[in-house]
Amino acid sequence: MTSPAVTTGSVVLVVGDPAAAATRAGEIVELAGGRVDERTELAASDEREASARLVLRIPAGALTTALAELKALGEVDQVQLTSTDVTDAAQDLDARISALEVSVGRLETLMASSTTSADLIDLESALSSRQGDLESKRAERSSLAGQVALATVTLDLVPEATIAAGGPNGFWSAIGTGWTSLLTTLRGVLIAVGVLMVHEGWSKKFLRYFGA
């Protein structure tokens, strides 16, 4: 028996028409039995190129085939998939749910045989608390099952101009490189300011010492 696993990932494709590719990607996923949870499209402007981003939920069993069809929409710039085994988490939730079901059953039995109002009130309060915990754990288990059944893939569709020839390897790599360059520049400015402050401090000490 295959261990339950949650699969997440990201794909960056270089395409001629991001909007059209986004529509086609949605069709591919729906035909595979999945769905599009989020879709964002940015129109071209003087400051940016057109682009699109989709958050796709794809059945785990159809993931390989669906990814192959998605990659065919354009030039693959980046693919990253991560699979996390959630066997322990699933077993823990199942055990907690079973224990809470037993507890709820016992409290219901005690309520049925309760003979005083005080006991009944206490039992109703305890039962309400246990039922709340039970519903919460059932919701967690259902959510986990959904994550296992449907992989979550973020698909970024960017135009050719975004991936500069000879530039950084990948759209997000380009963003990372730009950020690194900015940090380097800021670091240089801070060092220069520090040197000036030190120089100013020593100059004042020198003038005081010699009575200038």
Side-chain angles (χ1 to χ4, degrees):
M1 181 177 180
T2 304
S3 298
V6 173
T7 301
T8 59
S10 61
V11 178
V12 179
L13 297 179
V14 181
V15 297
D17 186 341
T23 298
R24 179 57 186 142
E27 293 172 350
I28 290 172
V29 170
E30 288 175 0
L31 287 173
R35 65 176 187 267
V36 178
D37 270 3
E38 296 179 27
R39 176 171 176 166
T40 303
E41 294 183 20
L42 296 178
S45 68
D46 294 337
E47 293 79 22
R48 65 170 183 254
E49 297 288 343
S51 64
R53 166 173 285 190
L54 293 83
V55 177
L56 310 173
R57 301 300 303 280
I58 305 172
L63 182 59
T64 300
T65 301
L67 280 179
E69 293 182 18
L70 290 172
K71 291 176 184 178
L73 295 176
E75 179 184 346
V76 178
D77 181 64
Q78 176 182 307
V79 176
Q80 180 178 355
L81 291 177
T82 302
S83 183
T84 304
D85 190 310
V86 293
T87 301
D88 290 344
Q91 291 177 344
D92 179 67
L93 283 171
D94 288 341
R96 289 174 182 270
I97 289 171
S98 295
L100 285 168
E101 288 174 340
V102 171
S103 179
V104 166
R106 288 175 177 172
L107 287 170
E108 289 175 339
T109 300
L110 289 173
M111 283 184 62
S113 60
S114 177
T115 57
T116 67
S117 298
D119 288 343
L120 184 60
I121 292 174
D122 289 341
L123 289 169
E124 285 179 343
S125 177
L127 178 60
S128 177
S129 177
R130 293 292 189 282
Q131 287 175 331
D133 291 341
L134 178 58
E135 291 306 313
S136 176
K137 294 305 177 185
R138 282 175 174 169
E140 286 183 40
R141 187 66 179 88
S142 177
S143 176
L144 183 62
Q147 293 177 56
V148 170
L150 296 173
T152 302
V153 177
T154 300
L155 174 65
D156 284 292
L157 301 165
V158 298
E160 295 177 3
T162 303
I163 311 298
N169 182 24
F171 177 63
W172 297 112
S173 296
I175 293 177
T177 300
W179 178 248
T180 301
S181 298
L182 176 60
L183 291 178
T184 301
T185 301
L186 291 175
R187 188 180 296 112
V189 171
L190 291 174
I191 291 174
V193 171
V195 170
L196 288 173
M197 292 177 65
V198 171
H199 175 73
E200 181 67 19
W202 279 107
S203 296
K204 289 180 179 179
K205 290 182 179 180
F206 179 86
L207 293 174
R208 286 199 301 269
Y209 182 78
F210 288 98

